[in-house]
Amino acid sequence: GENVEQHPSTLSVQEGDSAVIKCTYSDSASNYFPWYKQELGKRPQLIIDIRSNVGEKKDQRIAVTLNKTAKHFSLHITETQPEDSAVYFCAATSSGSARQLTFGSGTQLTVLP
Amino acid sequence: EAQVTQNPRYLITVTGKKLTVTCSQNMNHEYMSWYRQDPGLGLRQIYYSMNVEVTDKGDVPEGYKVSRKEKRNFPLILESPSPNQTSLYFCASSLLLNTGELFFGEGSRLTVL
């Protein structure tokens, strides 16, 4: 089955700086890679996703890049703000949709004022 | 309002006392899934269901049962809970042929003494 590794497990940045979270996956058939954000005490929510036919996707201050050859993908957050503080999870699946997602272990991002 | 509802939100029980965590969604989603969240381990899939009467094991199904008798409901059953099932549980749903978003419930924190 799929195995997703996520790094780092914790990340602290100064407000306004950029943050990068990286994930690797094992199954070369994986074709859908979402990122979920979980604020303290809340449920995970989808913030951005990318499919294997695209190398990069942006949505305002967040972007995701995918390198299929190396089997890794990354989340980039620019101009970080205190409200970006949360746990971020990457995930991968070969189903092409939200079915049977395998999640990474999560990254606790703290944005320091 | 579109939502996934779990009950109970918090539960403390004792080893061996059967319990059921209910999950209901009002979005007419075919796909439903249960995850457990443990520190450092991310979200791990327990069971999933592609439609009524169709269920399958995820990555950590031992000690759990599920049923899908109606499209909207997907209860998680712990026949004989043990302390290693102390965890935060999330139910989630998605359209089968969708853009990819998994909608999570608010979570159920279970403690088994």
Side-chain angles (χ1 to χ4, degrees):
Chain A
E2 177 64 275
N3 181 48
V4 177
E5 294 192 358
Q6 182 172 349
H7 301 279
S9 57
T10 61
L11 178 61
S12 293
V13 299
Q14 291 294 136
E15 184 176 355
D17 286 351
S18 296
V20 180
I21 302 170
K22 299 181 180 181
C23 290
T24 60
Y25 61 98
S26 61
D27 186 354
S28 57
S30 286
N31 55 15
Y32 175 63
F33 309 91
W35 287 86
Y36 284 78
K37 175 183 181 183
Q38 185 181 28
E39 296 176 357
L40 187 62
K42 301 281 184 68
R43 73 192 83 188
Q45 291 188 292
L46 179 70
I47 54 171
I48 195 168
D49 57 13
I50 191 168
R51 298 183 185 277
S52 58
N53 58 345
V54 175
E56 184 176 3
K57 184 177 179 181
K58 290 182 180 180
D59 183 3
Q60 299 182 0
R61 296 186 297 108
I62 60 173
V64 59
T65 58
L66 171 65
N67 183 326
K68 285 184 62 180
T69 303
K71 289 192 281 188
H72 67 70
F73 57 113
S74 301
L75 177 72
H76 304 253
I77 306 174
T78 58
E79 300 173 18
T80 53
Q81 300 168 4
E83 53 264 38
D84 294 328
S85 295
V87 177
Y88 291 81
F89 292 100
C90 63
T93 178
S94 59
S95 74
S97 69
R99 286 179 287 146
Q100 296 176 261
L101 284 169
T102 298
F103 284 86
S105 55
T107 296
Q108 172 68 62
L109 173 65
T110 303
V111 180
L112 304 169
Chain B
E1 180 188 356
Q3 58 186 358
V4 179
T5 304
Q6 296 178 226
N7 280 296
R9 296 286 316 283
Y10 302 91
L11 179 63
I12 300 174
T13 189
V14 295
T15 299
K17 186 176 181 181
K18 180 179 179 180
L19 69 91
T20 299
V21 185
T22 64
C23 174
S24 180
Q25 50 91 7
N26 62 1
M27 296 171 280
N28 201 35
H29 285 170
E30 297 91 351
Y31 181 78
M32 297 187 75
S33 182
W34 277 102
Y35 290 88
R36 61 177 288 175
Q37 182 177 8
D38 302 289
L41 297 176
L43 293 154
R44 293 181 293 167
Q45 190 175 50
I46 303 170
Y47 270 94
Y48 65 93
S49 170
M50 304 282 266
N51 216 322
V52 175
E53 302 292 358
V54 181
T55 63
D56 211 342
K57 296 178 181 179
D59 297 318
V60 289
E62 295 78 18
Y64 305 94
K65 287 175 59 177
V66 293
S67 68
R68 189 91 182 272
K69 293 185 172 65
E70 304 165 284
K71 196 173 186 178
R72 65 183 292 128
N73 297 322
F74 190 44
L76 179 70
I77 304 155
L78 285 74
E79 292 271 3
S80 183
S82 62
N84 64 12
Q85 293 179 297
T86 293
S87 188
L88 177 59
Y89 292 86
F90 284 100
C91 179
S93 72
S94 174
L95 283 171
L96 201 61
L97 296 174
N98 74 333
T99 57
E101 185 166 5
L102 200 58
F103 292 88
F104 285 87
E106 292 182 300
S108 296
R109 185 167 292 282
L110 171 65
T111 301
V112 183
L113 302 176

